[in-house]
Amino acid sequence: GQVFHLKDYAPTDFVVDRIDLTFELDPAETKVISRVLMKRRAGVSRSAPLVFDGDELTLDSVQLDGNDIDPADFDVTPENLTIRNLPAEATFEITVNTTIAPEANTSLMGLYRTGNIYCTQCEAEGFRRITYFYDRPDVLAVYTVTIISRKDDARLMLSNGNYLGGGNYDEGRHFAAWFDPHPKPSYLFALVAGDLGVIEDTFTTMDEREVALRIYVEHGKEKRAAYAMDALKRSMRWDEETFGRAYDLDIFMIVAVSDFNMGAMENKGLNVFNDKYVLADPETATDADYANIEAIIAHEYFHNWTGNRITCRDWFQLCLKEGLTVFRDHAFSADQRSAPVKRIAEIRLLKAHQFPEDAGPLAHPVRPESYREINNFYTATVYEKGSEVVGMLRTIVGADAFRQGMDLYFERHDGQAVTIEDFLACFAEASSRDLMQFSLWYSQAGTPSVSVSTSWDEAKSTFTVTLEQSLQPTPGQPRKEVMHIPLAYGLLLEDGSEHKGSPSGAGASSAAAGVLHLTRRKQSVTFADVASRPVLSINRGFSAPVNLAMEQSSADLAHIARHDADGVARWQAINDHATRHLVAAARLARDGRPLPASDELCAILTAVAGDESLEPAFRAQALTLPAESDIAREIGSNIEPDSIRAAREAVIADVARAGRELFSTLANQAPGGPYSPDAGSAGLRALAGIALSYASIAEASPARAAAVFAAADNMTVMAQALQVLAHHFPGTGAATDALAAFEARFADNPLVIDKWFAIQAMAPGAATLDRVRELMTSRHFDRMNPNRVRALIGSFSAGNPTGFNRADGAGFRLLADEVTAIDKRNPQLAARLLTAMRSWRSLEPVRQEEARLALVAILGAAQLSTDVSDIVQRTLA
Ligand code: HT7
Ligand code: ZN
């Protein structure tokens, strides 16, 4: 396949001004008429042809200014329409007529059917499946869209922008017209048509304009969209208050669909959502679902400015919109909820998903320099590390200059398609700083390591911190340059207070106090007037996404865990302590040796569990031990998942025993009364949920969880109890009964059945594979629906280390078979599933060989998509 390179960027030879689209909808034969007003770019040779993109298209006809073009003047293939002899200077109109078949489109890209609804997904390159056009983000045009359909086929017809009008047509047909005044790239085009229910509201902008808000869902599900509407209004207000950004059309619409490849899509004025991220009520959605809905509604809404008004010059700049918009949605959620608890969840996610990506064969820079298939670059690196990079930028320039830089960015680049260089220039200007070295975060892949050593000189009362950075080679990048790593820190004194003075030495000066700037390979700073040995708390709040190597005693970690003023740092210390203990235990378990005593860890965890001065949500996070995959990542190579699991289970049992009474009390303290999704109540439920799990383990009985399950009046508590039963008491009557009751009760709600699939698929141990195979034949499973596939096969392969990595290779073969089958219908989904194999080289040799054979089997399958062949080739390289 073709490889695209960032360095090859060139603008188009022709500039587009307007595009008028007409759709005559029909499931089997939709007619698309595209009229494009355009002209040759100044300076482009008159012999240069116009080359439009297509994907699996058939052309009906093509006209220039209303007249059929001579066949000698154009060439057409399913992938390109090339037209020669176009006017040298004058503006002209090209009309392209195509016929497409939405009902035959299983890729969920372009125009497709989901349920009885017509729906589009154009990012990144789906518009070319609708009509021949310049399907690239730097071609911005003003769109007018007319939709015609049979009234009984599509009662509602929606597109971007403001509604122009509509009316009846002949033979039971009708039409609707939409006009979007804001120039946009084709990837933000959207059309939705069908029969849907709606909830409506309004929002008055800070400049007093009234915006109509509509959320469309399947009939009968309207009530379940209320929380999404509330989150939308809060997002709109927040963007005004925090970034001074107001909405810019008369109407904002969201449509929820049940077949969708990702979470949601920010099409201008017409966001399309996976229904999983819209629909919620206490009976069917968990606290995590509510939090995700809030975050994703905000994320897509925030794209209106970071992505839509200012877009990307090319797809290499994807992080320009995604990293920045994730940063914005994180800030929103932190403001709406507990900021430290939100940050802890982000750190967990980053380490669980992005760190392994950066450490494996699929590692790529936040701004990649080449790709074969852009769909494979919607990654944790582009999104989550991209957001971390924006966070570091803010730390480096300071909050005020960051806001000034954002203001400058919005002012200078509104209506443009720009690059990371354009973005960074705004902050360099606002802060008068040189950000050249910082910009390496966008171009160098891999997670830097920082080793930290400290020395306290009692005689001189000085404390010296020495930092050294390194970065391992990644695919295509054998040599790395030295980066700018901002490390927030504090020196904790014996009594728990913080040393006040600033250090001297390289990297000591900073925009924000309390940050060390590591900009050389190795550097030291010295603090004066340190009369007693302090404890260094460093990379507070995970100010830089790095791996820290520091010899820190358990006593020092415990000191930070008790005293640090920063809640995130306290959690980091607890988590580091737990990780260190679990890694040591797993190594011993591997060698068949007795496990180390876990008294110290138990003391820390039970103290936090019982500390009522701490937020319940924080206590729940502290009690959640590093996952098996976290332990595996720390061990790094020659991984044997069963011993990791054995060690972790043993430590959990120790903690459960140590805090038995406390956990028993806490397990009963879920809030009473009607369910509320607010962060405080969710935190109480999280603490009760983890306590239920420890209490049940201590009691070695499923009875408590079975009782909680039976009495639960909301999905959060019910799912927690079901998971305790299915994971810790598999095969017991209590577990089997609860699973059966759950299935019967929610049989007609696929989103809830997804939880049932996921809980079972993640039950640890070799036996789960057979259960997964069985579930694949269940009436609830549908290999064509991405949510079902991710819930069952995705949860098994990415969330069950012992089940998936079975030594006999059966887990790998199951995934390989599914990837190959799904690839024929939905390549994007197949490629994403396959990324679960990315860390295969860190397994022990027997499993590694089984994994390799499964990957080679995929490679040998007939007619692989570019999506899957790109992932499998890079994974094997
Ligand atoms: N910007 C959206 C990306 C997206 C997407 C990409 C490829 C294929 C299907 C897709 N659906 C949505 C999502 C977002 O980041 O907001
Ligand atoms: Zn996004």
Side-chain angles (χ1 to χ4, degrees):
Q2 194 181 351
V3 180
F4 300 91
H5 296 275
L6 168 60
K7 64 176 168 40
D8 293 342
Y9 173 81
T12 55
D13 287 345
F14 295 81
V15 239
V16 177
D17 188 15
R18 292 184 49 127
I19 173 164
D20 288 7
L21 292 166
T22 303
F23 290 82
E24 285 184 50
L25 293 177
D26 178 86
E29 276 192 9
T30 288
K31 301 271 177 214
V32 184
I33 307 165
S34 166
R35 292 187 199 84
V36 186
L37 212 60
M38 60 199 308
K39 65 168 186 268
R40 195 176 295 269
R41 193 184 293 276
V44 169
S45 146
R46 54 188 311 159
S47 65
L50 170 66
V51 185
F52 273 171
D53 307 299
D55 183 4
E56 295 184 13
L57 284 178
T58 10
L59 180 75
D60 296 331
S61 65
V62 54
Q63 286 106 31
L64 169 64
D65 291 329
N67 302 311
D68 279 343
I69 299 183
D70 186 329
D73 280 338
F74 75 90
D75 291 320
V76 67
T77 68
E79 281 75 44
N80 286 115
L81 172 62
T82 306
I83 308 176
R84 289 173 291 273
N85 296 324
L86 287 168
E89 276 159 24
T91 296
F92 56 89
E93 185 185 74
I94 293 289
T95 306
V96 179
N97 295 281
T98 47
T99 304
I100 52 179
E103 72 181 3
N105 180 0
T106 59
S107 68
L108 312 188
M109 292 297 289
L111 178 63
Y112 65 96
R113 298 275 281 174
T114 158
N116 285 327
I117 298 161
Y118 296 89
C119 171
T120 55
Q121 171 56 38
C122 291
E123 189 177 0
E125 295 177 336
F127 192 77
R128 62 185 65 183
R129 297 174 61 82
I130 295 172
T131 185
Y132 291 99
F133 189 59
Y134 273 141
D135 192 15
R136 43 188 279 171
D138 61 342
V139 173
L140 308 185
V142 170
Y143 282 62
T144 309
V145 179
T146 307
I147 312 169
I148 303 163
S149 73
R150 287 195 328 270
K151 286 185 202 168
D152 61 0
D153 187 28
R155 197 180 56 80
L156 266 169
M157 297 178 289
L158 313 176
S159 191
N160 317 91
N162 297 321
Y163 182 61
L164 279 183
N168 289 325
Y169 242 32
D170 55 350
E171 295 168 2
R173 298 191 305 164
H174 62 166
F175 74 96
W178 294 83
F179 175 68
D180 179 1
H182 300 284
K184 66 169 176 288
S186 54
Y187 83 85
L188 291 173
F189 164 78
L191 177 156
V192 172
D195 191 6
L196 288 159
V198 65
I199 64 166
E200 300 190 59
D201 210 323
T202 59
F203 180 86
T204 306
T205 62
M206 60 187 182
D207 47 355
E208 305 282 314
R209 285 173 298 104
E210 189 169 289
V211 179
L213 307 179
R214 294 198 189 143
I215 301 185
Y216 294 94
V217 295
E218 268 175 41
H219 285 294
K221 296 185 174 168
E222 292 85 349
K223 284 211 178 84
R224 288 164 64 194
Y227 185 76
M229 182 65 91
D230 176 57
L232 172 62
K233 288 187 291 182
R234 285 186 281 121
S235 306
M236 296 177 85
R237 191 61 75 212
W238 187 91
D239 213 13
E240 294 186 343
E241 288 169 355
T242 315
F243 284 101
R245 298 294 112 200
Y247 187 61
D248 53 6
L249 290 167
D250 300 341
I251 180 165
F252 184 79
M253 296 174 283
I254 290 173
V255 180
V257 301
S258 51
D259 297 84
F260 200 72
N261 271 344
M262 304 263 280
M265 178 63 212
E266 70 264 24
N267 314 301
K268 183 79 187 188
L270 178 55
N271 289 2
V272 175
F273 270 62
N274 185 326
D275 59 359
K276 176 178 164 65
Y277 297 117
V278 172
L279 302 175
D281 62 18
E283 197 198 343
T284 59
T286 60
D287 291 328
D289 292 326
Y290 278 95
N292 281 333
I293 289 170
E294 180 179 81
I296 296 177
I297 292 271
H299 180 97
E300 305 312 328
Y301 175 72
F302 297 157
H303 267 315
N304 190 55
W305 275 95
T306 48
N308 300 5
R309 289 286 288 250
I310 306 178
T311 196
C312 304
R313 186 193 72 173
D314 51 66
W315 289 124
F316 297 101
Q317 321 291 331
L318 184 57
C319 63
L320 176 81
K321 74 179 179 79
E322 296 305 347
L324 178 56
T325 305
V326 171
F327 173 82
R328 275 151 53 72
D329 84 56
H330 283 179
F332 168 74
S333 295
D335 279 356
Q336 304 286 307
R337 292 161 177 263
S338 154
V341 172
K342 170 67 183 151
R343 185 62 185 147
I344 292 166
E346 285 162 18
I347 297 168
R348 278 211 141 107
L349 220 73
L350 187 77
K351 287 185 159 189
H353 296 130
Q354 200 280 324
F355 276 33
E357 189 163 87
D358 243 349
L362 301 181
H364 55 275
V366 169
R367 179 173 67 181
E369 266 143 36
S370 65
Y371 61 76
R372 272 181 68 208
E373 175 51 69
I374 188 58
N375 288 331
N376 289 339
F377 285 83
Y378 287 79
T379 59
T381 297
V382 169
Y383 277 67
E384 317 306 332
K385 187 174 179 183
S387 164
E388 294 300 315
V389 174
V390 177
M392 285 189 285
L393 178 62
R394 186 176 187 276
T395 302
I396 287 169
V397 303
D400 292 344
F402 181 76
R403 174 64 204 268
Q404 285 162 24
M406 286 298 294
D407 287 349
L408 184 57
Y409 178 64
F410 290 128
E411 187 189 318
R412 182 180 283 171
H413 296 298
D414 186 13
Q416 297 177 6
V418 303
T419 62
I420 287 297
E421 282 75 10
D422 296 321
F423 175 70
L424 286 180
C426 295
F427 297 91
E429 226 168 288
S431 68
S432 304
R433 275 170 186 269
D434 179 348
L435 297 172
M436 275 311 285
Q437 188 186 15
F438 176 75
S439 70
L440 288 169
W441 280 103
Y442 286 100
S443 57
Q444 290 198 145
T447 305
S449 293
V450 176
S451 70
V452 185
S453 58
T454 61
S455 69
W456 175 59
D457 186 328
E458 186 168 10
K460 293 190 188 144
S461 290
T462 58
F463 183 68
T464 301
V465 179
T466 302
L467 305 164
E468 191 168 358
Q469 60 169 297
S470 62
L471 183 52
Q472 293 304 308
T474 52
Q477 295 188 333
R479 292 162 58 88
K480 307 280 187 176
E481 289 175 46
V482 174
M483 303 180 70
H484 181 172
I485 302 176
L487 296 163
Y489 76 95
L491 298 191
L492 301 187
L493 302 174
E494 247 171 325
D495 63 355
S497 68
E498 198 160 319
H499 176 75
K500 295 278 185 319
S502 301
S504 58
S509 73
S510 69
V515 180
L516 291 176
H517 294 266
L518 175 56
T519 54
R520 304 184 192 164
R521 182 134 344 255
K522 186 170 181 180
Q523 71 199 53
S524 295
V525 291
T526 299
F527 296 81
D529 303 323
V530 189
S532 61
R533 189 185 74 84
V535 174
L536 175 65
S537 169
I538 193 153
N539 206 19
R540 269 183 169 168
F542 219 57
S543 60
V546 299
N547 280 308
L548 270 192
M550 175 158 53
E551 287 299 320
Q552 210 159 25
S553 69
S554 302
D556 282 0
L557 286 174
H559 192 68
I560 300 173
R562 239 189 319 274
H563 298 296
D564 206 307
D566 181 282
V568 183
R570 283 203 303 276
W571 173 81
Q572 287 174 288
I574 296 168
N575 193 57
D576 286 352
H577 192 299
T579 306
R580 193 190 291 180
H581 182 82
L582 287 160
V583 165
R587 290 207 163 107
L588 292 168
R590 176 86 181 267
D591 297 341
R593 292 166 50 202
L595 301 190
S598 48
D599 305 3
E600 231 175 352
L601 179 61
C602 291
I604 293 176
L605 295 184
T606 50
V608 171
D611 185 345
E612 293 189 356
S613 71
L614 299 170
E615 280 184 275
F618 177 89
R619 290 148 75 194
Q621 284 286 1
L623 287 170
T624 307
L625 290 185
E628 289 163 30
S629 53
D630 295 320
I631 304 165
R633 195 181 59 247
E634 289 296 322
I635 295 175
S637 59
N638 196 16
I639 300 297
E640 198 282 283
D642 295 329
S643 52
I644 292 177
R645 180 181 165 217
R648 186 171 183 273
E649 301 277 298
V651 173
I652 287 177
D654 288 347
V655 176
R657 263 192 307 275
R660 180 172 177 159
E661 258 139 58
L662 178 59
F663 293 133
S664 164
T665 310
L666 292 173
N668 293 327
Q669 288 181 354
Y675 172 91
S676 158
D678 70 273
S681 309
L684 284 168
R685 279 186 290 272
L687 182 57
I690 185 95
L692 172 67
S693 156
Y694 282 118
S696 304
I697 290 164
E699 290 154 7
S701 158
R704 180 188 289 271
V708 170
F709 179 84
D713 66 353
N714 65 76
M715 181 49 68
T716 306
V717 170
M718 187 175 253
Q720 284 166 345
L722 187 64
Q723 173 154 332
V724 170
L725 291 168
H727 290 193
H728 297 289
F729 303 96
T732 60
T736 316
D737 291 351
L739 284 166
F742 192 96
E743 181 192 11
R745 176 159 169 196
F746 298 107
D748 59 356
N749 188 330
L751 292 178
V752 185
I753 289 295
D754 285 347
K755 300 181 196 304
W756 182 78
F757 279 144
I759 286 173
Q760 294 180 83
M762 292 194 290
T768 297
L769 185 131
D770 290 338
R771 179 63 184 149
V772 170
R773 283 210 180 282
E774 204 180 317
L775 289 170
M776 282 163 59
T777 65
S778 106
R779 68 192 167 100
H780 307 296
F781 189 66
D782 173 3
R783 191 176 275 132
M784 297 294 289
N785 180 284
N787 288 353
R788 294 310 84 73
V789 170
R790 284 188 285 252
L792 184 55
I793 304 176
S795 300
F796 177 64
S797 52
N800 189 341
T802 46
F804 176 61
N805 297 301
R806 265 169 55 147
D808 64 1
F812 307 136
R813 288 193 291 278
L814 181 146
L815 184 69
D817 290 348
E818 283 308 299
V819 165
T820 316
I822 293 168
D823 190 39
K824 303 202 172 4
R825 321 270 270 170
N826 187 339
Q828 245 179 66
L829 177 62
R832 207 161 261 272
L833 271 188
L834 182 55
T835 60
M837 300 278 289
R838 67 180 167 211
S839 301
W840 68 282
R841 277 213 169 83
S842 56
L843 293 167
E844 51 81 19
V846 171
R847 288 173 168 86
Q848 226 182 94
E849 179 57 11
E850 293 293 347
R852 193 187 66 78
L853 290 173
L855 286 163
V856 169
I858 297 175
L859 205 55
Q863 294 187 324
L864 274 195
S865 66
T866 326
D867 305 58
V868 167
S869 78
D870 171 48
I871 297 284
V872 77
Q873 281 174 16
R874 283 193 284 143
T875 305
L876 276 168

